[in-house]
Amino acid sequence: MEIVETDTLVIGSGMCGSFIGIGLRERGFRVSLVEMNREIGGLAKLLRYYKIKIEELGEEFYPGDYVSYLKNRIMELGIPLYTSTSIIDLLQSNKYFIAIGVNRRGVIEYKARRIIIAVGGRERTQYDLLITGTRPAGVFTGLLALELVDKFHKKIGRKGLVLTNNDLGLEVALRLRESGLVIENVVVPERSYPLSKELLDHLSDSDIDLIENNTVLEIDGLKRVESVLLKDLDKDETWRAKVDTLVISMGFLPSIELLRGLEIKIDYETKAPVLTSRLESSIPNIFICGLAAKPYNDLNMALNDSIRALLH
Amino acid sequence: MFIDKLPEKADVVIIGCGVIGCAIARELSKYKLNIVAIEKEADVGWGVTKGNMGVVHPFVPQFGKIKGKMVIEGNRKFDEISHELDVPFRRYGLLIVALTFIQLLAMIVAYFYLKLKGITLRWVWRRKLREIEPYISRKAKAALFVPTAGATDPVKLAIAYAESAVENGVKIVTNTRVVGFDIVDKSIKGVITDKGRIETNWVINAAGVFSDEIEKLAGITKRKMWHGKGVMVIFDPILGDMYHHFIAPMPIKLDPRTKGGAIGLTVDGIPIWGPNLIEAKDKFDTRVSREDIELIIRKFKPLLRIFHDNWIIKYYAGIRPVDETSWDFVIGPTEIRGFINASYILSPGLTASQVIAEKVIEVLESEGLRLKAKENFNPYRKGIRSIRELDINEIDKLIHENNDYGEIICPCNKVTKAEIIEAIRRGARTIDSIKFRTGAGMGPCQGSRCLARIIEILVQETGMKLSKVSMKGGGSEIFLEG
Ligand SMILES: Cc1cc2nc3c(=O)[nH]c(=O)nc-3n(C[C@H](O)[C@H](O)[C@H](O)COP(=O)(O)OP(=O)(O)OC[C@H]3O[C@@H](n4cnc5c(N)ncnc54)[C@H](O)[C@@H]3O)c2cc1C
């Protein structure tokens, strides 16, 4: 069993964790990064159009450029980075925290005085949204849909509908359209913030209709989606769309698997850990940032909130 | 593990590989017989068995019925069965709770009645109840504690019976549907399927919700099936510490829509509530509506002081095949010689599965099938090893033996690549088959973080075409051409 000692261990080297790790290193802290995937960058690796805006740098990045930026900085600063390694448990001794990691070579024990949990979130599923009916194939969360299309270069359906309240969903619709899936409609129950004008223009150039103030109630179809039942929230009327694919991109909920071991306090109403304004959890010296901190609909918001709280 | 090609002949053909058909297959594999079990789906356990709550019931109130007797014996046998088959099983115990004075009165009667029937139980007063369940409603006056109630994993149990049966010589043919029979002089001579004919003198109807159709194919028409849908709601594992037993309200009025059911835990300690009982439109109607979910929450939430029912992660439904006249299992011979029923197996069929299987053997023998015990029957079967219950030294060792154990694929349930490969090695060819064997995709994110990796592994391990990858067999493909 390998043992690694460090001051600050950042768990999750996605869009947020990497940036925070870099920032802390720049400020003189001893930092190590862990990442469960082969590469860092998290969700940014899946995106193409969504612009990442970092207030601190006063810069906008395309997702690919942002990932390159992160990779370069990690290299330049010589931050120890453990990829393909999953942290499966957190323990506490009187002096430090122990994070149990596994990878193909075995178990690694990370000993750290400070932990930053940046494990991201999961997109809301049809169950989180109480979309009822049947449970056939053909229902995907937005990022899963992108991952499938990217990885396998195959269409995940013929005719689909995207349910979203955020920019990410607009990108999902555009990209699925490029993959050959006919996206008839993007359905927006309510905007969680002003949607990007650029993405909206791109959408109308691609002949995708945006239908606002509507939502999906039910899924129909035994083996594969056959149709979905929608509701017009203004008119209070239901209507049906004949599609074989439903893509749901309705924001994120924090990943909380890791919080159980140390019994880090959770607010059961918001489904998020209880945090101070500095993002410190109920256990001193454990910080939680990015999409893991609270439910977010927008990535930039999660990113900039965390940078402000942890690096200023 | 399972085969696609139908053999030409068998001594006994079992129709349907739910938990019942699989249990019968394994029980029959103790004898020197050539046994074939036929299943229309891509895998075993996807019928009624999949839409199950996983409770190993201590009893059901209908003590006089066949199910009433079998459930008690089945519960008693569960330690042995789960040990032999390496299937998860935990005796959480059941608390039947009185919140009102009327319930309390009814409970006093129930206490003596159940005692009389030989059920192990204890009376628990309010103070003690609050000690063992700190979140129990403040209105709770007392409870009956039945320690033998337990939980298992229904599909894993069906798979385990099936794997043990195959290990002992049974042939399980999947993706094959029974469409008719060869009957001469009111005796079974063969079974017709969509893949051809198989010669046999004995068939066992274990077709679950299709039991009535199988009977009709043989010209047996005296029973009518009622379809009793039940919905279950699963909550985030984070709420798994809110209570530690099954908790049910003491029933007074038997409102058919809300009859039965409980606050429960899956065998992995995840809160599961339900089921209700409503009429399904047809055999495929496993739809869940918002009303179903609300009904379940409204019924059970008063049992607890606090519960965060905003953490629903999944809901699903199953259909109970009910013989309208008896509301009981139908096990035994029929007017067609060689056609044996193990059908209309409603709740608590999962609990009673082993007992039902043993009963079917008795029936076959008394109907004239010659049974000779095998000397080399192996009762033991091993489940798929996971890192979840291991300490870090054991995990380290396991990864050194097989480094696929170091690659977590499903972050919600900590399922590794090794388990997924093992599931595929044991015959899983669909996403659901992998899910039911390993738990990958059953957590809060419902597979949204692991599906792509699982598809990749499935394709790598089997050489399967991407266009053939499906959630649950033909028609549920993930990628669509054209
Ligand atoms: C909502 C609900 C909750 C329940 N909860 C519990 C519980 O907590 N505890 C408990 O003990 N019991 C419970 N039960 C009861 C239990 O699930 C059933 O008794 C049991 O699963 C029945 O199994 P089976 O093998 O008879 O049926 P099935 O699992 O349906 O198996 C029949 C199989 O036959 C196949 N088949 C059908 N027709 C054909 C054909 N023509 N050709 C080939 N194959 C065919 C089907 O595909 C299916 O796989 C519950 C049931 C429901 C509906």
Side-chain angles (χ1 to χ4, degrees):
Chain A
M1 203 174 335
E2 203 180 326
I3 294 178
V4 173
E5 285 182 39
T6 182
D7 261 354
T8 302
L9 181 72
V10 180
I11 303 175
S13 312
M15 295 176 60
C16 189
S18 306
F19 195 91
I20 300 292
I22 291 165
L24 290 173
R25 182 76 203 95
E26 285 168 344
R27 286 158 180 75
F29 293 94
R30 230 175 102 210
V31 182
S32 299
L33 290 168
V34 184
E35 168 54 42
M36 77 172 212
N37 291 306
R38 255 162 285 186
E39 282 186 74
I40 67 147
L43 307 183
K45 283 185 320 240
L46 290 171
L47 303 176
R48 208 176 294 154
Y49 302 130
Y50 181 93
K51 288 240 184 76
I52 293 164
K53 301 186 178 125
I54 310 267
E55 289 162 13
E56 188 188 67
L57 302 178
E59 267 188 75
E60 266 188 21
F61 296 88
Y62 275 109
D65 299 337
Y66 181 64
V67 177
S68 314
Y69 166 83
L70 295 174
K71 279 190 186 159
N72 289 338
R73 285 303 284 158
I74 290 171
M75 286 244 286
E76 283 164 16
L77 294 165
I79 303 175
L81 167 66
Y82 299 82
T83 53
S84 302
T85 303
S86 298
I87 302 297
I88 57 169
D89 215 349
L90 279 180
L91 316 167
Q92 191 171 18
S93 78
N94 34 15
K95 288 206 206 72
Y96 41 73
F97 296 104
I98 301 169
I100 310 292
V102 298
N103 62 28
R104 295 184 63 87
R105 292 181 305 281
V107 175
I108 307 182
E109 264 190 36
Y110 296 90
K111 295 185 176 167
R113 289 197 303 108
R114 185 154 71 149
I115 300 259
I116 296 180
I117 297 179
V119 292
R122 60 178 188 83
E123 272 186 291
R124 289 194 174 85
T125 67
Q126 74 256 43
Y127 300 101
D128 294 307
L129 300 167
L130 286 181
I131 297 173
T132 53
T134 57
R135 295 166 297 287
V139 183
F140 306 91
T141 54
L143 290 169
L144 170 63
L146 287 190
E147 194 183 351
L148 290 173
V149 174
D150 260 15
K151 209 172 204 151
F152 302 110
H153 309 287
K154 283 236 168 215
K155 287 199 293 189
I156 55 165
R158 297 188 186 103
K159 208 166 138 189
L161 187 143
V162 175
L163 178 71
T164 188
N165 59 0
N166 58 57
D167 287 340
L168 207 66
L170 304 187
E171 155 134 18
V172 168
L174 288 168
R175 297 273 302 285
L176 289 176
R177 179 58 171 264
E178 286 167 15
S179 79
L181 171 63
V182 178
I183 299 287
E184 301 248 300
N185 295 314
V186 171
V187 174
V188 181
E190 58 180 322
R191 299 184 179 200
S192 54
Y193 54 86
L195 297 178
S196 141
K197 171 124 191 352
E198 219 177 313
L199 288 172
L200 286 172
D201 287 347
H202 200 150
L203 213 61
S204 64
D205 291 346
S206 314
D207 276 336
I208 301 175
D209 275 343
L210 196 74
I211 305 182
E212 301 211 51
N213 288 325
N214 273 254
T215 195
V216 174
L217 295 181
E218 283 180 18
I219 298 167
D220 217 1
L222 223 45
K223 295 199 161 163
R224 175 88 194 189
V225 176
E226 284 165 18
S227 70
V228 297
L229 183 71
L230 293 107
K231 184 173 181 183
D232 185 321
L233 299 168
D234 287 333
K235 296 197 198 126
D236 201 21
E237 280 170 10
T238 56
W239 56 287
R240 197 166 277 284
K242 287 237 172 266
V243 290
D244 53 44
T245 307
L246 171 65
V247 179
I248 302 171
S249 189
M250 289 289 289
F252 295 84
L253 293 172
S255 291
I256 52 171
E257 304 87 69
L258 256 192
L259 312 187
R260 284 190 82 182
L262 286 179
E263 297 186 10
I264 294 172
K265 247 200 216 114
I266 286 182
D267 176 342
Y268 287 96
E269 289 310 314
T270 61
K271 306 193 180 185
V274 176
L275 301 175
T276 66
S277 59
R278 303 286 321 274
L279 300 184
E280 194 162 12
S281 73
S282 62
I283 297 192
N285 287 317
I286 293 191
F287 297 80
I288 304 177
C289 69
L291 295 177
K294 68 174 201 202
Y296 277 106
N297 291 329
D298 184 39
L299 298 177
N300 281 324
M301 229 180 282
L303 193 52
N304 287 303
D305 281 358
S306 301
I307 294 171
R308 241 177 280 127
L310 287 171
L311 297 181
H312 286 212
Chain B
M1 182 65 64
F2 307 141
I3 55 178
D4 259 346
K5 195 172 173 305
L6 189 72
E8 279 169 18
K9 260 170 104 164
D11 296 323
V12 183
V13 170
I14 300 164
I15 303 168
C17 295
V19 73
I20 302 301
C22 293
I24 294 169
R26 174 175 184 260
E27 205 50 37
L28 273 173
S29 74
K30 294 180 176 167
Y31 304 93
K32 289 184 182 155
L33 291 168
N34 176 8
I35 304 144
V36 172
I38 300 177
E39 171 55 54
K40 68 179 165 61
E41 300 295 328
D43 203 347
V44 304
W46 285 4
V48 185
T49 303
K50 176 171 87 163
N52 183 297
M53 169 114 169
V55 187
V56 176
H57 292 282
F59 64 86
V60 292
Q62 301 83 3
F63 289 95
K65 294 197 170 171
I66 305 167
K67 61 180 181 184
K69 300 196 177 75
M70 284 189 164
V71 66
I72 294 173
E73 202 186 332
N75 182 297
R76 207 177 295 137
K77 287 204 153 120
F78 233 87
D79 297 286
E80 190 188 331
I81 287 297
S82 61
H83 171 69
E84 282 183 358
L85 295 176
D86 195 17
V87 170
F89 172 51
R90 269 163 84 177
R91 289 198 191 271
Y92 290 117
L94 163 69
L95 288 164
I96 306 168
V97 176
L99 297 179
T100 66
F101 189 65
I102 299 175
Q103 280 177 309
L104 190 65
L105 288 179
M107 220 165 77
I108 296 170
V109 180
Y111 175 79
F112 288 107
Y113 181 68
L114 291 173
K115 276 257 163 189
L116 196 73
K117 293 291 176 188
I119 304 298
T120 312
L121 81 166
R122 281 201 302 278
W123 186 277
V124 182
W125 281 109
R126 178 207 302 252
R127 181 176 306 170
K128 178 80 186 158
L129 181 56
R130 284 194 188 173
E131 244 170 64
I132 57 177
E133 287 295 4
Y135 289 108
I136 199 86
S137 160
R138 295 225 185 277
K139 290 204 187 117
K141 299 186 181 340
L144 295 181
F145 178 59
V146 190
T148 49
T152 188
D153 182 321
V155 182
K156 273 193 184 157
L157 179 63
I159 292 167
Y161 279 130
E163 286 183 3
S164 174
V166 169
E167 155 83 20
N168 289 295
V170 174
K171 295 187 194 77
I172 294 184
V173 194
T174 47
N175 292 313
T176 304
R177 179 192 303 269
V178 171
V179 295
F181 295 99
D182 254 356
I183 298 174
V184 179
D185 292 338
K186 293 204 155 262
S187 297
I188 291 285
K189 294 291 168 218
V191 176
I192 322 285
T193 77
D194 58 358
K195 298 238 178 101
R197 179 181 181 277
I198 176 167
E199 196 178 315
T200 186
N201 293 323
W202 298 95
V203 300
I204 293 159
N205 174 13
V209 84
F210 297 92
S211 303
D212 59 337
E213 292 193 351
I214 297 296
E215 282 193 314
K216 275 183 207 127
L217 291 178
I220 304 166
T221 54
K222 61 173 172 250
R223 270 171 287 270
K224 227 183 133 215
M225 188 179 283
W226 186 79
H227 303 102
K229 175 154 76 177
V231 171
M232 278 122 321
V233 179
I234 299 184
F235 297 91
D236 196 286
I238 197 92
L239 302 179
D241 300 330
M242 302 277 303
Y243 55 88
H244 311 95
H245 304 85
F246 288 100
I247 307 174
M250 176 69 211
I252 303 283
K253 265 196 316 228
L254 289 185
D255 174 355
R257 291 221 340 142
T258 59
K259 198 179 120 197
I263 283 180
L265 293 164
T266 70
V267 72
D268 300 313
I270 295 160
I272 178 169
W273 291 14
N276 57 348
L277 175 62
I278 52 179
E279 181 165 9
K281 278 203 221 87
D282 55 42
K283 297 185 187 305
F284 304 96
D285 175 23
T286 54
R287 300 176 64 88
V288 174
S289 71
R290 278 211 191 187
E291 293 74 59
D292 294 326
I293 298 169
E294 281 160 13
L295 189 87
I296 285 168
I297 291 182
R298 216 175 322 122
K299 178 177 183 195
F300 294 121
K301 208 178 165 186
L303 287 170
L304 298 175
R305 208 153 45 80
I306 339 172
F307 191 77
H308 308 281
D309 55 289
N310 55 329
W311 288 73
I312 292 173
I313 63 163
K314 166 96 180 172
Y315 28 83
Y316 64 100
I319 300 174
R320 307 168 183 88
V322 181
D323 169 22
E324 233 177 38
T325 44
S326 71
W327 278 73
D328 206 350
F329 302 159
V330 176
I331 305 168
T334 60
E335 63 258 42
I336 304 296
R337 199 179 139 64
F339 186 106
I340 312 292
N341 267 321
S343 52
Y344 300 83
I345 308 294
L346 64 172
S347 309
L350 176 75
T351 313
S353 53
Q354 176 61 25
V355 185
I356 293 172
E358 288 168 18
K359 175 74 189 171
V360 166
I361 306 293
E362 253 176 57
V363 172
L364 281 169
E365 196 163 23
S366 68
E367 285 295 295
L369 178 68
R370 296 263 313 274
L371 296 175
K372 272 217 252 135
K374 270 184 204 159
E375 303 81 44
N376 56 350
F377 172 77
N378 175 11
Y380 295 102
R381 166 266 180 195
K382 271 289 176 208
I384 298 177
R385 261 181 106 185
S386 112
I387 63 166
R388 283 184 294 283
E389 275 91 50
L390 305 182
D391 69 35
I392 54 176
N393 292 311
E394 292 168 321
I395 296 174
D396 197 51
K397 195 164 156 259
L398 195 57
I399 297 174
H400 284 282
E401 283 163 22
N402 175 358
N403 44 28
D404 287 333
Y405 273 108
E407 219 175 298
I408 306 260
I409 303 294
C410 161
C412 293
N413 288 339
K414 293 180 197 158
V415 180
T416 64
K417 186 175 180 184
E419 288 146 78
I420 296 184
I421 291 178
E422 177 62 15
I424 295 167
R425 208 187 56 77
R426 293 185 187 202
R429 290 293 177 275
T430 68
I431 301 302
D432 271 6
S433 301
I434 292 173
K435 176 176 94 176
F436 285 122
R437 281 172 178 74
T438 64
M442 277 186 171
C445 89
Q446 289 294 309
S448 57
R449 294 184 290 171
C450 63
L451 182 66
R453 293 292 313 278
I454 292 175
I455 294 174
E456 194 172 49
I457 299 168
L458 181 60
V459 169
Q460 269 165 14
E461 292 297 309
T462 61
M464 206 167 155
K465 276 214 192 107
L466 272 174
S467 56
K468 292 271 180 230
V469 175
S470 71
M471 294 305 280
K472 41 188 169 183
S476 67
E477 285 76 16
I478 291 164
F479 301 100
L480 299 182
E481 318 261 326

